Amino acid sequence: MTDAASLTRLIQSRAGAEPVKLGLILGSGLGHLAETVSGVAIDYADLPGFPHAGVSGHYPKLVIGDLEGVRVAVFGGRAHYYESGDPAVMRLPLEVLSGLGAEALIATNAAGSLRPDIRPGDVMLLSDHINFSGLNPLIGEPTDRRFVPMTDAHDPRLRTRLKAAAEAEGIALPEGVYAWYSGPSFETPAEIRAIRILGADAVGMSTVPEIILARFLGLNAAAISTITNMAAGLSDEKISHEHTKAMAPLGAAKLERLIRKMLRDLD
Ligand code: HPA
């Protein structure tokens, strides 16, 4: 039983059939928000076909319930391309999100900054992205639906709401372009210099396939990075997954306030 429709029914039998409005994907070290949702938490392991979010620092549960008066589905962790070699690894969870009635997805991630004015502990709203990996979760999709327009993939209305929420909360929320690098090794300094020339402001190993899938499924999408480090070659600090996990909580508190405020103001 790994098709999205039966999984959706399974989830609704546990969490109720009332449609969710919004989905959230939480990145490395950002799982706390999932624990604060009042609702039903389902282990990914209990959802046949759901990827194991096997990266330490993730919270491998789907939580459905109320956050600031809005019914949400929160993915406490994601699966990454680099875990399996499958760029479509998040397709089933996002199909389920769509089946649960969501209209929008907000993805979050930990990222390295390429901009001197965006520092560890800051949050950055993605204005756009560069699929630097060249991979695509829709390769093999047989229908013409695969030709997904990616103009305004990072939804202007959602971004306006997030910027308004940031301003109201007194949180600086610069916008920038995120480049998807496959990982799991980090980038070399030369690769960082290369993507800087190409227009990237931040770099990370996730999110882009999810934005493509969200648009494919007709969901509006937006994404926020929490900056855990300066990208390779841009500072003396050692880049490591341990460092990412240690630094993520700095931005996570801001991210949480931002998302809560945006949800409170949703009409
Ligand atoms: N590169 C790629 N992914 C990351 C980084 C980085 O510097 N920091 C956190 N995730």
Side-chain angles (χ1 to χ4, degrees):
M1 190 182 63
T2 56
D3 68 291
S6 38
L7 265 180
T8 303
R9 283 194 297 276
L10 171 75
I11 292 164
Q12 287 175 330
S13 72
R14 289 184 56 179
E18 193 195 328
V20 308
K21 199 165 171 67
L22 180 97
L24 279 167
I25 296 178
L26 303 180
S28 295
L30 306 174
H32 175 256
L33 189 59
E35 298 172 50
T36 69
V37 173
S38 52
V40 175
I42 306 173
D43 287 333
Y44 287 176
D46 293 340
L47 296 171
F50 252 53
H52 290 278
V55 179
S56 62
H58 284 248
Y59 178 77
K61 289 179 200 286
L62 171 62
V63 189
I64 307 217
D66 179 280
L67 193 62
E68 302 293 345
V70 179
R71 190 159 162 86
V72 293
V74 183
F75 297 90
R78 63 155 58 79
H80 305 80
Y81 165 74
Y82 62 71
E83 293 172 68
S84 63
D86 177 8
V89 65
M90 286 299 285
R91 179 162 174 165
L92 183 66
L94 289 173
E95 283 175 345
V96 166
L97 178 65
S98 170
L100 291 171
E103 298 157 14
L105 169 75
I106 297 180
T108 66
N109 58 56
S113 172
L114 278 68
R115 282 220 333 236
D117 60 321
I118 304 182
R119 312 292 307 174
D122 289 349
V123 282
M124 185 191 96
L125 179 62
L126 275 63
S127 57
D128 204 344
H129 68 238
I130 296 172
N131 183 354
F132 191 64
S133 75
L135 299 157
N136 198 298
L138 298 177
I139 289 173
E141 163 61 35
T143 69
D144 277 358
R145 289 172 57 225
R146 64 189 155 191
F147 299 114
V148 178
M150 292 297 287
T151 314
D152 285 341
H154 296 262
D155 184 57
R157 278 193 66 207
L158 271 176
R159 280 158 53 207
T160 300
R161 288 178 189 281
L162 286 163
K163 282 186 281 190
E167 191 167 338
E169 288 289 310
I171 296 168
L173 186 65
E175 281 196 288
V177 172
Y178 173 98
W180 176 30
Y181 186 83
S182 74
S185 57
F186 284 96
E187 306 74 31
T188 64
E191 286 162 346
I192 294 299
R193 288 194 297 276
I195 57 175
R196 183 75 195 118
I197 291 166
L198 295 178
D201 299 297
V203 61
M205 304 178 192
S206 68
T207 301
V208 169
E210 295 142 33
I211 300 290
I212 295 170
L213 287 166
R215 297 305 299 136
F216 172 68
L217 295 167
L219 300 169
N220 291 323
I224 306 169
S225 292
T226 58
I227 302 300
T228 54
N229 56 280
M230 297 311 291
L234 300 182
S235 94
D236 292 336
E237 71 194 335
K238 287 265 180 297
I239 296 173
S240 69
H241 185 55
E242 287 313 311
H243 185 262
T244 298
K245 284 190 294 181
M247 294 298 285
L250 276 185
K254 286 183 198 169
L255 186 77
E256 212 172 302
R257 275 169 51 215
L258 188 60
I259 288 173
R260 283 182 177 278
K261 176 67 178 158
M262 191 211 74
L263 291 174
R264 276 202 296 282
D265 293 349
L266 221 55
D267 38 58

